[in-house]
Amino acid sequence: MKKLIRNTLVFLALSLFGCLSAFAYDGDMDEYHEFKEDLALVRDSYVQCVNMVSDENPEKIGGSWQTLEFEAPQTAYVKIDEVAGGFKIKGTHGAYKLDVEVRVKLNQEGDIKYEIKHGKGSNAPGKEIASEVFR
């Protein structure tokens, strides 16, 4: 009987540990997706603005935000500032820390390319997400 109770308790403890591990993993994945969504929102808003301006007046690309008429979107985890020809992003969410300068370039075919320069505030998980979003 004692062996049955002990085995049952071990089983319950392992089951509880498995559930907690899965919950922790889901939490990390939530942070990952939320942070990535903020970065993608910034990217997509800027690209939409660049596309509208490049169709009307291609020589304005690389100018100031005022020239592009870009309004940075409201985001939960990142702050966006203007730099010449792009933007600077600073933010943190859970394990993800990012301090990056993104320059936006148009090539001859009209494709958008990103030049990424990380600052000291970026950590490895933040750099990984930035490289995924701005490829």
Side-chain angles (χ1 to χ4, degrees):
M1 184 69 167
K2 287 183 179 181
K3 190 174 184 178
L4 177 63
I5 292 173
R6 184 181 56 125
N7 289 343
T8 303
L9 289 175
V10 168
F11 174 75
L12 290 174
L14 290 173
S15 297
L16 179 62
F17 178 73
C19 290
L20 291 176
S21 296
F23 178 73
Y25 180 73
D26 287 343
D28 290 343
M29 289 307 293
D30 287 345
E31 290 173 359
Y32 169 83
H33 289 294
E34 291 166 350
F35 198 64
K36 190 172 180 179
E37 285 173 11
D38 266 10
L39 296 177
L41 178 62
V42 173
R43 177 202 61 207
D44 294 346
S45 299
Y46 197 82
V47 167
Q48 181 180 10
C49 183
V50 165
N51 285 336
M52 289 187 331
V53 169
S54 68
D55 289 342
E56 298 168 10
N57 198 352
E59 60 271 359
K60 282 188 176 181
I61 302 303
S64 70
W65 283 9
Q66 185 176 12
T67 305
L68 292 176
E69 299 178 18
F70 175 71
E71 291 185 34
Q74 296 295 317
T75 58
Y77 306 106
V78 298
K79 181 179 179 243
I80 305 104
D81 291 313
E82 178 183 9
V83 296
F87 44 89
K88 184 172 182 119
I89 299 173
K90 282 189 176 186
T92 184
H93 185 41
Y96 304 97
K97 294 181 177 142
L98 191 63
D99 177 8
V100 67
E101 196 171 288
V102 180
R103 307 262 178 176
V104 181
K105 306 285 183 184
L106 287 176
N107 65 15
Q108 296 276 351
E109 295 79 35
D111 297 328
I112 294 178
K113 301 291 181 189
Y114 302 99
E115 292 178 5
I116 300 173
K117 181 180 177 187
H118 288 281
K120 292 180 182 178
S122 291
N123 66 4
K127 290 177 181 180
E128 184 177 324
I129 288 180
S131 67
E132 290 175 19
V133 173
F134 300 105
R135 16 180 158 147

